[in-house]
Amino acid sequence: MKPLRLAILSATGTAQKRTIPALVNSKLVTVSAIQGRNTEKLREVSDRYGIQSIYTDEHELLDEGSYDAVMVCSPPYMHFSQAKRVIDRGTHCLLEKPAAMSADECTELSHIAAERAVVVHVAHHLRHQDTYARMQEILNNGGLGDIVTASAEWSFKMNRSAPSASWKLDPSKNGLSAMNDAGIHSVDVMIGLLGPGSLRGAASVRRPEDKTHETVDILCEQHECLTHIRSSRLYGPSANDLRINGTDGSIYAPGFFTEASSVSFDVTRAGKTESVRHSSPNPYQVEVEDFARSVGGLTPLFPFTDLHDAGLAMSLIDAAHQTITST
């Protein structure tokens, strides 16, 4: 297929750090235009990666038109308005997580996307790797029997002196808790592997100096499976593991929740443990290339996150936030 020309809004943050470098050798995607507020940073990215078009105004980029799709990499509070603008133009859109600040916003974006018949993926890179696909295959084939319990955690010690900390710790810009940040990856993985969930309980530790809830636990039920999801920005990432336990076996993936690709996990059945190993392509490259495949009418290699699944994740997080703020 002809390489997809991708324009990126807010390209000097996570896009500069992860996405653009991952696409340097891609045969399916080329970054054709970037936008950001800082001209000097934009020129540095442009010079380093040979990107021809740079803009400080997102409207100018969108009107310029030398692209096939747009990726939104701005802070979360801007996702809904920017994605709505892109999708309403009839343009395919790749959205950084979280897709929006609430489940209702995800639903509205989904309706507009359906009306305009455009492709929208949410950039949850953990789904775009061989280990995830193999886990899903084992579960779909009943390899663990009936799933009884599962747990997932993505925590990290955030640098509070970093420039991004000012908006990351602002509830109006990045959500009420750590679940809106790295934690949503854990929620997304659980939904992708085990299906929709309903909240059974939530708890948090809120320090007096914080406006946000920096350590959060969610307990939910997913098809009779009791699931525990945790996220914190006060420590980590040593505990970022995935466990799924069934009546006939279990999956244990230490260090699964990370920016890098997972290369192995353990499956225990009938008292025997097998280490399942897979190749480790760059998941940030694959997630964008899978988006390009969808835009080109081809089948993605991995089961991507759509706006429906993004809405399910935000519904759980919205419900958890209602619980922790009312207790």
Short mmCIF file of all heavy atoms in Angstrom, two decimals, residues 127-176:
data_model
loop_
_atom_site.label_atom_id
_atom_site.label_comp_id
_atom_site.label_asym_id
_atom_site.label_seq_id
_atom_site.Cartn_x
_atom_site.Cartn_y
_atom_site.Cartn_z
N ARG A 127 -1.58 -3.30 23.05
CA ARG A 127 -2.33 -4.29 22.26
C ARG A 127 -1.58 -4.69 20.99
O ARG A 127 -1.89 -5.73 20.40
CB ARG A 127 -3.69 -3.71 21.86
CG ARG A 127 -4.66 -3.51 23.01
CD ARG A 127 -6.07 -3.40 22.48
NE ARG A 127 -7.06 -3.07 23.49
CZ ARG A 127 -8.36 -3.25 23.35
NH1 ARG A 127 -8.82 -3.74 22.21
NH2 ARG A 127 -9.20 -2.92 24.30
N HIS A 128 -0.61 -3.87 20.59
CA HIS A 128 0.04 -4.08 19.31
C HIS A 128 1.38 -4.82 19.48
O HIS A 128 2.44 -4.34 19.08
CB HIS A 128 0.24 -2.74 18.60
CG HIS A 128 -1.05 -2.05 18.32
ND1 HIS A 128 -1.74 -2.20 17.13
CD2 HIS A 128 -1.81 -1.23 19.09
CE1 HIS A 128 -2.86 -1.49 17.17
NE2 HIS A 128 -2.93 -0.89 18.35
N GLN A 129 1.29 -6.01 20.07
CA GLN A 129 2.48 -6.82 20.27
C GLN A 129 2.10 -8.29 20.31
O GLN A 129 0.97 -8.65 20.63
CB GLN A 129 3.22 -6.40 21.54
CG GLN A 129 2.35 -6.30 22.78
CD GLN A 129 3.13 -5.81 23.98
OE1 GLN A 129 4.35 -5.96 24.07
NE2 GLN A 129 2.42 -5.24 24.94
N ASP A 130 3.06 -9.13 19.99
CA ASP A 130 2.80 -10.56 19.86
C ASP A 130 2.37 -11.20 21.17
O ASP A 130 1.52 -12.10 21.18
CB ASP A 130 4.06 -11.27 19.34
CG ASP A 130 4.41 -10.86 17.92
OD1 ASP A 130 3.48 -10.61 17.14
OD2 ASP A 130 5.60 -10.78 17.60
N THR A 131 2.94 -10.75 22.30
CA THR A 131 2.58 -11.38 23.57
C THR A 131 1.11 -11.15 23.90
O THR A 131 0.42 -12.05 24.38
CB THR A 131 3.46 -10.82 24.71
OG1 THR A 131 3.51 -9.40 24.61
CG2 THR A 131 4.86 -11.38 24.63
N TYR A 132 0.61 -9.94 23.63
CA TYR A 132 -0.80 -9.65 23.87
C TYR A 132 -1.69 -10.53 23.00
O TYR A 132 -2.67 -11.11 23.47
CB TYR A 132 -1.08 -8.17 23.60
CG TYR A 132 -2.55 -7.80 23.75
CD1 TYR A 132 -3.06 -7.38 24.98
CD2 TYR A 132 -3.42 -7.89 22.68
CE1 TYR A 132 -4.39 -7.05 25.12
CE2 TYR A 132 -4.76 -7.57 22.81
CZ TYR A 132 -5.25 -7.15 24.03
OH TYR A 132 -6.58 -6.84 24.16
N ALA A 133 -1.34 -10.63 21.71
CA ALA A 133 -2.15 -11.45 20.80
C ALA A 133 -2.15 -12.91 21.23
O ALA A 133 -3.18 -13.60 21.13
CB ALA A 133 -1.61 -11.32 19.38
N ARG A 134 -1.02 -13.40 21.73
CA ARG A 134 -0.95 -14.79 22.17
C ARG A 134 -1.79 -15.01 23.43
O ARG A 134 -2.48 -16.02 23.56
CB ARG A 134 0.51 -15.16 22.44
CG ARG A 134 0.71 -16.59 22.91
CD ARG A 134 0.34 -17.60 21.84
NE ARG A 134 0.57 -18.95 22.32
CZ ARG A 134 -0.32 -19.92 22.32
NH1 ARG A 134 -1.55 -19.68 21.86
NH2 ARG A 134 -0.02 -21.12 22.76
N MET A 135 -1.76 -14.06 24.36
CA MET A 135 -2.63 -14.15 25.54
C MET A 135 -4.09 -14.21 25.13
O MET A 135 -4.88 -15.02 25.64
CB MET A 135 -2.41 -12.94 26.45
CG MET A 135 -1.12 -12.92 27.21
SD MET A 135 -1.06 -11.42 28.22
CE MET A 135 0.69 -11.31 28.51
N GLN A 136 -4.47 -13.34 24.21
CA GLN A 136 -5.86 -13.29 23.76
C GLN A 136 -6.26 -14.62 23.11
O GLN A 136 -7.38 -15.12 23.33
CB GLN A 136 -6.05 -12.14 22.78
CG GLN A 136 -7.50 -11.83 22.48
CD GLN A 136 -7.66 -10.57 21.67
OE1 GLN A 136 -7.19 -10.50 20.55
NE2 GLN A 136 -8.33 -9.57 22.24
N GLU A 137 -5.35 -15.21 22.37
CA GLU A 137 -5.62 -16.51 21.74
C GLU A 137 -5.85 -17.59 22.78
O GLU A 137 -6.79 -18.40 22.68
CB GLU A 137 -4.46 -16.89 20.82
CG GLU A 137 -4.63 -18.22 20.11
CD GLU A 137 -3.42 -18.61 19.29
OE1 GLU A 137 -2.47 -17.81 19.20
OE2 GLU A 137 -3.41 -19.73 18.74
N ILE A 138 -5.00 -17.63 23.80
CA ILE A 138 -5.14 -18.62 24.87
C ILE A 138 -6.49 -18.46 25.57
O ILE A 138 -7.20 -19.44 25.82
CB ILE A 138 -3.99 -18.49 25.88
CG1 ILE A 138 -2.66 -18.93 25.24
CG2 ILE A 138 -4.26 -19.31 27.15
CD1 ILE A 138 -1.44 -18.63 26.08
N LEU A 139 -6.86 -17.22 25.88
CA LEU A 139 -8.13 -16.97 26.57
C LEU A 139 -9.33 -17.30 25.69
O LEU A 139 -10.30 -17.91 26.15
CB LEU A 139 -8.19 -15.51 27.02
CG LEU A 139 -7.19 -15.11 28.10
CD1 LEU A 139 -7.13 -13.60 28.26
CD2 LEU A 139 -7.54 -15.77 29.43
N ASN A 140 -9.27 -16.91 24.42
CA ASN A 140 -10.38 -17.18 23.51
C ASN A 140 -10.60 -18.66 23.28
O ASN A 140 -11.73 -19.11 23.03
CB ASN A 140 -10.16 -16.47 22.17
CG ASN A 140 -10.29 -14.96 22.27
OD1 ASN A 140 -10.82 -14.45 23.25
ND2 ASN A 140 -9.81 -14.25 21.27
N ASN A 141 -9.52 -19.43 23.35
CA ASN A 141 -9.61 -20.89 23.16
C ASN A 141 -9.93 -21.64 24.45
O ASN A 141 -9.94 -22.87 24.47
CB ASN A 141 -8.30 -21.42 22.58
CG ASN A 141 -8.07 -20.96 21.14
OD1 ASN A 141 -9.02 -20.60 20.44
ND2 ASN A 141 -6.82 -20.95 20.71
N GLY A 142 -10.16 -20.90 25.54
CA GLY A 142 -10.48 -21.55 26.81
C GLY A 142 -9.32 -22.24 27.46
O GLY A 142 -9.50 -23.17 28.26
N GLY A 143 -8.09 -21.79 27.14
CA GLY A 143 -6.90 -22.47 27.63
C GLY A 143 -6.69 -22.39 29.13
O GLY A 143 -5.92 -23.18 29.68
N LEU A 144 -7.36 -21.45 29.80
CA LEU A 144 -7.23 -21.35 31.26
C LEU A 144 -8.50 -21.78 31.97
O LEU A 144 -8.61 -21.63 33.20
CB LEU A 144 -6.89 -19.90 31.66
CG LEU A 144 -5.61 -19.28 31.08
CD1 LEU A 144 -5.39 -17.90 31.67
CD2 LEU A 144 -4.40 -20.16 31.29
N GLY A 145 -9.46 -22.30 31.22
CA GLY A 145 -10.74 -22.65 31.83
C GLY A 145 -11.56 -21.39 32.08
O GLY A 145 -11.45 -20.40 31.35
N ASP A 146 -12.39 -21.42 33.10
CA ASP A 146 -13.17 -20.24 33.47
C ASP A 146 -12.28 -19.25 34.22
O ASP A 146 -11.62 -19.64 35.20
CB ASP A 146 -14.35 -20.63 34.36
CG ASP A 146 -15.35 -21.53 33.64
OD1 ASP A 146 -15.49 -21.38 32.41
OD2 ASP A 146 -15.97 -22.38 34.31
N ILE A 147 -12.25 -18.00 33.76
CA ILE A 147 -11.40 -17.00 34.41
C ILE A 147 -12.06 -16.54 35.71
O ILE A 147 -13.23 -16.16 35.74
CB ILE A 147 -11.18 -15.79 33.47
CG1 ILE A 147 -10.63 -16.29 32.12
CG2 ILE A 147 -10.19 -14.82 34.11
CD1 ILE A 147 -9.37 -17.11 32.22
N VAL A 148 -11.28 -16.59 36.79
CA VAL A 148 -11.80 -16.31 38.12
C VAL A 148 -11.32 -14.96 38.65
O VAL A 148 -12.11 -14.16 39.13
CB VAL A 148 -11.41 -17.43 39.10
CG1 VAL A 148 -12.00 -17.15 40.48
CG2 VAL A 148 -11.88 -18.79 38.58
N THR A 149 -10.02 -14.70 38.57
CA THR A 149 -9.46 -13.43 39.04
C THR A 149 -8.39 -12.94 38.08
O THR A 149 -7.81 -13.73 37.31
CB THR A 149 -8.83 -13.55 40.45
OG1 THR A 149 -7.69 -14.43 40.38
CG2 THR A 149 -9.83 -14.06 41.47
N ALA A 150 -8.14 -11.64 38.13
CA ALA A 150 -7.08 -11.05 37.32
C ALA A 150 -6.61 -9.77 38.00
O ALA A 150 -7.37 -9.13 38.74
CB ALA A 150 -7.57 -10.75 35.91
N SER A 151 -5.36 -9.41 37.75
CA SER A 151 -4.84 -8.16 38.32
C SER A 151 -3.88 -7.51 37.33
O SER A 151 -3.21 -8.19 36.55
CB SER A 151 -4.12 -8.42 39.65
OG SER A 151 -2.99 -9.26 39.46
N ALA A 152 -3.85 -6.18 37.38
CA ALA A 152 -2.98 -5.43 36.49
C ALA A 152 -2.57 -4.14 37.16
O ALA A 152 -3.36 -3.53 37.90
CB ALA A 152 -3.70 -5.11 35.17
N GLU A 153 -1.34 -3.72 36.93
CA GLU A 153 -0.87 -2.46 37.51
C GLU A 153 0.11 -1.78 36.57
O GLU A 153 1.00 -2.42 35.99
CB GLU A 153 -0.18 -2.69 38.86
CG GLU A 153 0.42 -1.42 39.45
CD GLU A 153 0.94 -1.57 40.87
OE1 GLU A 153 0.76 -2.66 41.45
OE2 GLU A 153 1.53 -0.60 41.39
N TRP A 154 -0.10 -0.46 36.40
CA TRP A 154 0.93 0.38 35.79
C TRP A 154 1.13 1.58 36.72
O TRP A 154 0.27 2.46 36.82
CB TRP A 154 0.55 0.86 34.39
CG TRP A 154 1.72 1.53 33.70
CD1 TRP A 154 2.75 2.20 34.28
CD2 TRP A 154 1.98 1.56 32.29
NE1 TRP A 154 3.64 2.66 33.33
CE2 TRP A 154 3.20 2.29 32.10
CE3 TRP A 154 1.32 1.06 31.18
CZ2 TRP A 154 3.74 2.53 30.85
CZ3 TRP A 154 1.87 1.29 29.93
CH2 TRP A 154 3.06 2.01 29.75
N SER A 155 2.26 1.59 37.40
CA SER A 155 2.63 2.68 38.27
C SER A 155 4.01 3.19 37.89
O SER A 155 4.83 2.46 37.34
CB SER A 155 2.63 2.23 39.74
OG SER A 155 1.34 1.84 40.15
N PHE A 156 4.26 4.45 38.17
CA PHE A 156 5.58 5.02 37.92
C PHE A 156 5.78 6.22 38.83
O PHE A 156 4.80 6.84 39.28
CB PHE A 156 5.74 5.44 36.45
CG PHE A 156 4.88 6.61 36.04
CD1 PHE A 156 5.42 7.89 35.95
CD2 PHE A 156 3.53 6.44 35.74
CE1 PHE A 156 4.64 8.97 35.58
CE2 PHE A 156 2.75 7.52 35.35
CZ PHE A 156 3.30 8.79 35.28
N LYS A 157 7.01 6.54 39.12
CA LYS A 157 7.31 7.69 39.96
C LYS A 157 7.49 8.90 39.06
O LYS A 157 8.50 9.03 38.36
CB LYS A 157 8.56 7.44 40.80
CG LYS A 157 8.76 8.48 41.90
CD LYS A 157 9.86 8.06 42.86
CE LYS A 157 9.98 9.04 44.03
NZ LYS A 157 11.02 8.61 44.99
N MET A 158 6.50 9.77 39.06
CA MET A 158 6.51 10.90 38.15
C MET A 158 7.48 11.98 38.61
O MET A 158 7.60 12.28 39.80
CB MET A 158 5.10 11.49 38.03
CG MET A 158 4.98 12.52 36.93
SD MET A 158 3.28 13.04 36.65
CE MET A 158 3.02 14.03 38.12
N ASN A 159 8.17 12.55 37.65
CA ASN A 159 9.07 13.66 37.91
C ASN A 159 8.25 14.95 38.02
O ASN A 159 7.78 15.49 37.02
CB ASN A 159 10.09 13.77 36.78
CG ASN A 159 11.05 14.93 36.98
OD1 ASN A 159 11.03 15.62 38.00
ND2 ASN A 159 11.91 15.15 35.98
N ARG A 160 8.08 15.42 39.23
CA ARG A 160 7.24 16.59 39.44
C ARG A 160 7.89 17.91 39.06
O ARG A 160 7.25 18.97 39.11
CB ARG A 160 6.75 16.63 40.90
CG ARG A 160 5.56 15.70 41.07
CD ARG A 160 5.30 15.31 42.49
NE ARG A 160 4.02 14.64 42.60
CZ ARG A 160 3.74 13.42 42.13
NH1 ARG A 160 4.67 12.74 41.50
NH2 ARG A 160 2.53 12.90 42.26
N SER A 161 9.15 17.86 38.66
CA SER A 161 9.83 19.07 38.17
C SER A 161 9.84 19.14 36.65
O SER A 161 10.29 20.13 36.08
CB SER A 161 11.27 19.11 38.70
OG SER A 161 12.03 18.03 38.19
N ALA A 162 9.31 18.10 35.99
CA ALA A 162 9.27 18.09 34.53
C ALA A 162 8.25 19.11 34.03
O ALA A 162 7.25 19.39 34.71
CB ALA A 162 8.91 16.70 34.03
N PRO A 163 8.46 19.69 32.84
CA PRO A 163 7.52 20.69 32.31
C PRO A 163 6.09 20.16 32.19
O PRO A 163 5.14 20.91 32.38
CB PRO A 163 8.11 21.01 30.93
CG PRO A 163 9.57 20.70 31.06
CD PRO A 163 9.65 19.53 31.98
N SER A 164 5.95 18.86 31.89
CA SER A 164 4.62 18.29 31.72
C SER A 164 3.87 18.10 33.02
O SER A 164 2.65 17.89 33.03
CB SER A 164 4.71 16.95 30.99
OG SER A 164 5.48 16.03 31.75
N ALA A 165 4.58 18.17 34.16
CA ALA A 165 3.94 17.92 35.45
C ALA A 165 2.85 18.94 35.76
O ALA A 165 1.87 18.63 36.44
CB ALA A 165 4.98 17.90 36.56
N SER A 166 3.00 20.15 35.25
CA SER A 166 2.03 21.20 35.57
C SER A 166 0.64 20.85 35.08
O SER A 166 -0.36 21.12 35.76
CB SER A 166 2.48 22.54 34.96
OG SER A 166 2.59 22.43 33.55
N TRP A 167 0.55 20.22 33.89
CA TRP A 167 -0.78 19.82 33.42
C TRP A 167 -1.13 18.40 33.83
O TRP A 167 -2.30 18.07 34.01
CB TRP A 167 -0.92 20.00 31.91
CG TRP A 167 -0.02 19.20 31.02
CD1 TRP A 167 1.13 19.61 30.42
CD2 TRP A 167 -0.22 17.84 30.59
NE1 TRP A 167 1.69 18.60 29.66
CE2 TRP A 167 0.87 17.51 29.74
CE3 TRP A 167 -1.20 16.88 30.84
CZ2 TRP A 167 1.00 16.24 29.16
CZ3 TRP A 167 -1.07 15.63 30.24
CH2 TRP A 167 0.02 15.32 29.41
N LYS A 168 -0.14 17.54 34.02
CA LYS A 168 -0.44 16.18 34.45
C LYS A 168 -1.08 16.14 35.84
O LYS A 168 -1.87 15.25 36.15
CB LYS A 168 0.84 15.33 34.45
CG LYS A 168 1.24 14.79 33.08
CD LYS A 168 2.46 13.92 33.18
CE LYS A 168 2.79 13.25 31.86
NZ LYS A 168 1.85 12.17 31.53
N LEU A 169 -0.73 17.10 36.68
CA LEU A 169 -1.25 17.14 38.04
C LEU A 169 -2.45 18.08 38.19
O LEU A 169 -2.89 18.36 39.30
CB LEU A 169 -0.15 17.55 39.01
CG LEU A 169 1.00 16.54 39.14
CD1 LEU A 169 2.15 17.13 39.93
CD2 LEU A 169 0.51 15.26 39.80
N ASP A 170 -2.98 18.52 37.07
CA ASP A 170 -4.15 19.40 37.06
C ASP A 170 -5.38 18.56 36.67
O ASP A 170 -5.46 18.08 35.54
CB ASP A 170 -3.95 20.53 36.06
CG ASP A 170 -5.09 21.54 36.06
OD1 ASP A 170 -6.20 21.21 36.53
OD2 ASP A 170 -4.88 22.67 35.57
N PRO A 171 -6.33 18.34 37.58
CA PRO A 171 -7.48 17.48 37.28
C PRO A 171 -8.28 17.94 36.06
O PRO A 171 -8.84 17.11 35.35
CB PRO A 171 -8.33 17.57 38.55
CG PRO A 171 -7.38 17.96 39.63
CD PRO A 171 -6.37 18.84 38.97
N SER A 172 -8.32 19.25 35.80
CA SER A 172 -9.08 19.74 34.67
C SER A 172 -8.39 19.48 33.33
O SER A 172 -9.03 19.53 32.28
CB SER A 172 -9.33 21.25 34.81
OG SER A 172 -8.11 21.98 34.72
N LYS A 173 -7.10 19.16 33.37
CA LYS A 173 -6.35 18.95 32.13
C LYS A 173 -5.94 17.50 31.90
O LYS A 173 -5.71 17.10 30.76
CB LYS A 173 -5.09 19.84 32.13
CG LYS A 173 -5.42 21.32 32.08
CD LYS A 173 -4.15 22.16 32.01
CE LYS A 173 -4.52 23.64 31.88
NZ LYS A 173 -3.31 24.50 31.79
N ASN A 174 -5.84 16.71 32.98
CA ASN A 174 -5.38 15.33 32.82
C ASN A 174 -6.22 14.34 33.62
O ASN A 174 -5.83 13.18 33.76
CB ASN A 174 -3.91 15.22 33.25
CG ASN A 174 -3.26 13.93 32.78
OD1 ASN A 174 -3.50 13.46 31.67
ND2 ASN A 174 -2.43 13.35 33.63
N GLY A 175 -7.36 14.78 34.14
CA GLY A 175 -8.21 13.87 34.89
C GLY A 175 -7.92 13.88 36.37
O GLY A 175 -6.92 14.41 36.84
N LEU A 176 -8.80 13.23 37.12
CA LEU A 176 -8.77 13.30 38.58
C LEU A 176 -7.70 12.43 39.21
O LEU A 176 -7.27 12.69 40.33
CB LEU A 176 -10.14 12.91 39.13
CG LEU A 176 -10.35 13.03 40.64
CD1 LEU A 176 -10.23 14.48 41.08
CD2 LEU A 176 -11.69 12.44 41.04
#
